Amino acid sequence: MFKRQKSLVSESKRDLSSPGATRSTAKNDMRKFQSFSQLILSAGPLKSAPAVKHLKAAHFEIEILDAQTRKQICIVDKMMQTSTIHDIKQKFHKTYPKWCPSRIGLQLEHGGPFLKDYITIQSVAASSIVTLYFTDLGRQVRWTTVFLAEYTGPLLLYLLFYLRIPFIYDVKESSRRSRHLVVHLACFCHCIHYIRYLLETLFVHKVSAGHTPLKNLIKGCAFYWGFTSWIAYYINHPRYTPPSFGNRQVTVSAINFLICEAGNHFINVLLAHPNHTGTNACFPSPNYNPFTWMFFLVSCPNYTYEIGSWISFTVMTQTLPVGIFTLLMSIQMSLWAQKKHKIYLKKFNSYMHRKSAMIPFIL
């Protein structure tokens, strides 16, 4: 029996080793491969396993803490990715009506800068839960209100001193002494200056829609109104002494004052309507108006003309209060001009050839 099984195995081996058996095996393998290939082609292209995507949350939960005590004030939920800081302030105001949106200051981290109203939640969120710190900014007023209050006061106050109201000056002394030409001219120039300010605030300047603390309005009004009263009191006083060089000094200074006022106005108009190249704003360029050619020399010609106006007014009236006011304004505007000059240097590559911020070749 064992021998018979062994012979069958040996016969099968001979059959497999024969050439006919090899060909039949190869044909079977080829048919299997072709059928497998057709199956693959009919199934379409191979698809890779879908990658795991880290999708941002559809809704955010805003936790608002008190910046001083770090205690939770409220939670604003169901905020979309496109929601802004202004939207959060609106919902915060609905929960706490005593805090209007203009006096709500929100920070991403304690001690950090206040977030602008246009910033979206998606741009500051690291997860679906965002923590913001709340600070009460105090009562706020619009920037337009600030400017109108600062400039209307000096205009009206100067006119009161110019009319020599009885409780300001002695009536008898005022009636005995006649006024010099410079007194009338100074009133005219002063009124022109602040009327231009008011009109530009209303119709030229693109005043920010934002707000500022009420204390800034009080400080600005105290500065402008206080100096105007001091200046007007001396110039319109019955014992006021005319300039040393008489009408020549007054006339030349008045003409220079009007030139600087005109230059300041044209520069402000140009800044309100800057040039554009495609979608990128470029640095304001001088045009056919000669008053705008100051841009070739300085970054902030509006400040240059402003200081020129007050220097001319100082020389025309030859009074100490005007000189002190001019000095303080010059210091403040030089700081503003240098700050803007640095911004222009970083923002505009073609601006590097402009050397000065406010005073040509000096500052």
Side-chain angles (χ1 to χ4, degrees), residues 153-164 168-169 179 183 186-187 190 224-238 240 310 313 317 319 321-322:
L155 178 63
L156 298 178
L157 285 172
Y158 197 99
L159 290 176
L160 292 178
F161 283 92
Y162 176 75
L163 296 175
R164 289 184 176 178
I168 299 178
Y169 304 110
R179 302 189 189 189
V183 176
C187 180
H190 192 275
Y224 282 102
W225 294 18
F227 263 104
T228 298
S229 301
W230 190 24
I231 290 170
Y233 177 80
Y234 274 88
I235 296 177
N236 296 286
H237 198 282
Y240 169 72
W310 283 111
F313 195 78
T317 58
T319 54
V322 182

Side-chain angles (χ1 to χ4, degrees), residues 17-304:
S17 61
S18 62
T22 304
R23 285 195 296 270
S24 62
T25 304
K27 287 181 181 180
N28 291 334
D29 293 340
M30 182 62 67
R31 287 176 188 151
K32 292 179 180 180
F33 177 76
Q34 289 177 353
S35 61
F36 180 73
S37 300
Q38 290 176 357
L39 178 64
I40 294 297
L41 292 174
S42 63
L46 293 176
K47 295 182 180 180
S48 59
V52 178
K53 295 182 179 179
H54 299 282
L55 298 176
K56 294 187 178 179
H59 294 87
F60 291 88
E61 183 179 285
I62 312 299
E63 180 188 25
I64 299 180
L65 307 180
D66 187 281
Q68 299 297 328
T69 62
R70 307 292 181 90
K71 293 182 179 180
Q72 185 184 92
I73 299 177
C74 68
I75 293 178
V76 181
D77 56 356
K78 295 183 179 180
M79 300 299 295
M80 305 295 291
Q81 294 181 3
T82 56
S83 299
T84 61
I85 298 298
H86 180 71
D87 298 330
I88 298 176
K89 291 182 179 180
Q90 292 289 346
K91 288 196 173 184
F92 186 92
H93 173 60
K94 289 181 180 179
T95 307
Y96 297 94
K98 66 177 181 179
W99 287 313
C100 59
S102 61
R103 66 185 296 172
I104 298 173
L106 296 177
Q107 301 163 291
L108 191 60
E109 56 184 13
H110 184 262
F114 291 107
L115 299 174
K116 302 294 183 181
D117 286 350
Y118 58 82
I119 294 178
T120 59
I121 298 175
Q122 184 180 5
S123 62
V124 297
S127 64
S128 60
I129 300 177
V130 181
T131 301
L132 298 178
Y133 296 91
F134 161 75
T135 301
D136 184 7
L137 300 177
R139 178 163 294 187
Q140 304 285 300
V141 291
R142 292 183 176 274
W143 278 109
T144 303
T145 305
V146 173
F147 295 142
L148 293 178
E150 287 179 349
Y151 304 148
T152 303
L155 178 63
L156 298 178
L157 285 172
Y158 197 99
L159 290 176
L160 292 178
F161 283 92
Y162 176 75
L163 296 175
R164 289 184 176 178
I165 297 176
F167 65 84
I168 299 178
Y169 304 110
D170 183 74
V171 179
K172 293 182 179 180
E173 190 174 16
S174 299
S175 60
R176 286 199 306 266
R177 293 177 178 270
S178 59
R179 302 189 189 189
H180 192 272
L181 172 65
V182 67
V183 176
H184 304 290
L185 199 56
C187 180
F188 172 77
C189 292
H190 192 275
C191 291
I192 286 292
H193 181 76
Y194 283 100
I195 289 174
R196 178 183 64 80
Y197 264 174
L198 292 172
L199 293 178
E200 288 179 352
T201 300
L202 294 173
F203 304 110
V204 176
H205 293 304
K206 297 178 181 178
V207 182
S208 172
H211 297 73
T212 186
L214 180 62
K215 62 181 181 180
N216 290 340
L217 171 64
I218 297 174
K219 290 191 295 184
C221 289
F223 177 79
Y224 282 102
W225 294 18
F227 263 104
T228 298
S229 301
W230 190 24
I231 290 170
Y233 177 80
Y234 274 88
I235 296 177
N236 296 286
H237 198 282
R239 297 183 182 181
Y240 169 72
T241 304
S244 303
F245 296 96
N247 292 336
R248 179 178 298 179
Q249 178 178 344
V250 173
T251 304
V252 173
S253 301
I255 293 173
N256 192 61
F257 176 88
L258 295 176
I259 292 174
C260 290
E261 286 294 302
N264 201 340
H265 171 70
F266 289 120
I267 292 297
N268 288 332
V269 171
L270 184 62
L271 290 175
H273 303 86
N275 298 328
H276 291 271
T277 304
T279 59
N280 297 322
C282 61
F283 184 81
S285 301
N287 53 26
Y288 61 88
N289 190 335
F291 289 103
T292 64
W293 296 351
M294 186 67 73
F295 271 116
F296 287 120
L297 301 175
V298 296
S299 304
C300 306
N302 52 330
Y303 296 152
T304 307

